[in-house]
Amino acid sequence: MFDDLLPYMVVVAMLLYVWILAGGRKYPMTKRELERLHFRQAYNLSIDRMLSESPLDRDEVRRLRDSGRRNGRVRAVRYVKKWDPVPLEIAVEFVDRV
């Protein structure tokens, strides 16, 4: 009887272990948490590192920011967030420092 239950017990133990490793979250991560996690994993929470390593087209960011329109900076921030999912305050600082 115990031999029949052993595979199921192993699977349950493995799933429990994976759940514990994942943090045991009851709810999925929010968009803000996912953005912060991406920024932490990709750039180690460093704006300077993001400036040097980001694959974004800096000329496009500058063009959008300096377009002379009233909302040029906002459009540049949206462009950054669209192509590199980072938190809003990080995207704003990136646009200002490019």
Side-chain angles (χ1 to χ4, degrees):
M1 171 123 178
F2 182 71
D3 293 334
D4 294 339
L5 294 177
L6 185 61
Y8 297 110
M9 291 172 45
V10 169
V11 169
V12 168
M14 289 172 53
L15 288 174
L16 184 61
Y17 180 70
V18 168
W19 184 70
I20 289 170
L21 282 180
R25 298 179 65 92
K26 292 181 182 178
Y27 305 102
M29 294 178 82
T30 64
K31 184 177 179 182
R32 177 178 236 154
E33 291 171 335
L34 288 171
E35 290 171 344
R36 177 63 63 180
L37 180 64
H38 168 73
F39 183 60
R40 177 185 310 266
Q41 290 176 343
Y43 305 114
N44 200 20
L45 298 177
S46 171
I47 299 265
D48 294 326
R49 189 168 170 194
M50 182 179 175
L51 283 166
S52 65
E53 296 179 6
S54 178
L56 289 171
D57 183 8
R58 284 155 182 74
D59 293 332
E60 180 68 13
V61 173
R62 283 187 208 101
R63 187 188 68 77
L64 289 170
R65 182 189 65 197
D66 302 333
S67 65
R69 291 185 171 189
R70 190 174 55 175
N71 61 353
R73 184 172 177 236
V74 173
R75 292 177 66 193
V77 169
R78 278 194 208 134
Y79 175 81
V80 170
K81 286 186 61 63
K82 178 179 179 182
W83 295 107
D84 201 359
V86 295
L88 178 64
E89 61 273 4
I90 303 301
V92 168
E93 189 169 344
F94 180 83
V95 167
D96 291 342
R97 290 176 63 177
V98 164

